[in-house]
């Protein structure tokens, strides 16, 4: 049976990429949820480093893709808000920058050994676990809760990402490192209180207070998606499963 490992953020990607057969990026609020919403509707999502606007615009032009706008400036256009992607059309290519999940996905896909990269959340935890097992065989699986960034650039562990990682680990049913076991057990302990915990987390309150309560509603819908977004040629599309 494969073993599941769990480490946070960019340092986690660096620590695990050479030790595992697949990496799973977990950014519940909101990158992974946004990718699930878009890919489940037939779109392709290109992660891109945050704030590199001119480079992102050039990439969008070269790919014939739409460039997601910042939430506050979207004006009805696609953005990191999962709610903005519920009407995305099949075949759409979307460049989706974000400071956490997108940045980690972009980096993980470019590690020297090029392990497969999935992204998972509460909506698709079971599907992502199934895909990860299929890709890894009996080798190790790395789960990366993205976390957030403090103003000084340091990692802020985010409970919604720990719970999302824990959900995937729960469905994996694999042997766990102590770090992975802690995330899995946190998800199991949350039970019916999970929605309240995510909504009242620092990230959840930030979104609700900014008027994006609908994004949190989408993020806490457990098990509603059978999509396992897999990175292929730099973009997330439907994976195995």
């Amino acid at each position: 049976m494969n073993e599941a490992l769990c480490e946070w953020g960019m340092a986690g990607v660096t620590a695990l990429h050479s030790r595992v057969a697949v990496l799973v990026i977990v950014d519940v609020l909101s990158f992974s949820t946004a990718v699930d919403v878009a890919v489940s509707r037939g779109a392709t999502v290109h992660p891109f480093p945050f704030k590199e606007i001119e480079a992102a615009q050039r990439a969008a032009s070269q790919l014939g893709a739409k460039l997601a706008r910042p939430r506050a400036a979207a004006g009805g256009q696609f953005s990191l808000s999962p709610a903005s992607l519920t009407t995305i059309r099949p075949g759409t290519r979307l460049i989706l920058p974000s400071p956490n999940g997108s940045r980690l996905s972009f980096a993980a896909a470019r590690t020297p050994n090029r392990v497969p990269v999935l992204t998972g959340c509460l909506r698709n935890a079971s599907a992502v676990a199934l895909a990860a097992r299929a890709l890894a065989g009996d080798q190790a699986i790395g789960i990366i809760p993205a976390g957030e960034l403090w103003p000084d650039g340091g990692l802020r562990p985010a409970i919604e990402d720990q719970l999302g990682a824990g959900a995937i680990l729960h469905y994996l049913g694999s042997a766990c490192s102590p770090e992975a076991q802690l995330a899995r057990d946190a998800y199991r302990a949350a039970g019916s209180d999970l929605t309240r915990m995510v909504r009242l987390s620092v990230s959840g309150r930030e979104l609700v207070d900014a008027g994006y309560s609908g994004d949190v509603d989408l993020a806490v819908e457990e098990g509603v998606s059978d999509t396992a977004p897999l990175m292929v040629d730099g973009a997330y599309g439907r994976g195995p499963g």
Side-chain angles (χ1 to χ4, degrees), residues 17-30:
H17 76 84
S18 63
R19 300 172 56 194
V20 300
V22 59
L23 286 169
V24 182
I25 307 298
V26 183
D27 183 357
V28 170
L29 295 175
S30 297

Side-chain angles (χ1 to χ4, degrees), residues 30-42 45 85 96 119-125 127-128 218 221 224-229 236 238:
S30 297
F31 176 78
S32 298
T33 299
V35 173
D36 174 72
V37 169
V39 171
S40 68
R41 286 157 176 75
V45 178
L85 302 173
L96 185 61
T119 190
C121 56
L122 293 165
R123 297 171 58 87
N124 64 3
V128 168
L218 286 168
E221 290 182 328
V224 298
S225 173
D226 63 359
T227 299
Y236 282 113
R238 277 187 176 271

Side-chain angles (χ1 to χ4, degrees), residues 85-222:
L85 302 173
T86 57
T87 58
I88 199 167
R89 294 190 175 186
T92 302
R93 287 185 174 272
L94 180 69
I95 291 182
L96 185 61
S98 90
N100 300 304
S102 189
R103 179 175 63 98
L104 298 183
S105 297
F106 191 84
R110 288 158 178 78
T111 55
N113 53 332
R114 299 294 178 95
V115 298
V117 179
L118 296 157
T119 190
C121 56
L122 293 165
R123 297 171 58 87
N124 64 3
S126 177
V128 168
L130 183 66
R133 284 201 305 267
L135 290 165
D138 60 358
Q139 299 182 72
I141 295 169
I143 310 294
I144 308 290
E148 300 284 347
L149 297 178
W150 290 112
D152 67 359
L155 173 72
R156 174 174 71 76
I159 66 164
E160 69 275 8
D161 295 341
Q162 184 177 42
L163 293 168
I168 295 166
L169 288 157
H170 168 76
Y171 288 109
L172 273 175
S174 302
C176 288
S177 68
E179 293 80 9
Q181 181 181 343
L182 188 64
R184 183 199 64 194
D185 291 352
Y187 168 75
R188 291 176 176 175
S192 61
D193 207 28
L194 184 144
T195 294
R196 183 192 69 84
M197 293 175 69
V198 173
R199 183 168 287 278
L200 293 180
S201 68
V202 173
S203 304
R205 292 197 309 271
E206 286 176 349
L207 287 175
V208 171
D209 291 348
Y212 299 105
S213 180
D215 288 346
V216 183
D217 293 340
L218 286 168
V220 296
E221 290 182 328
E222 290 189 74

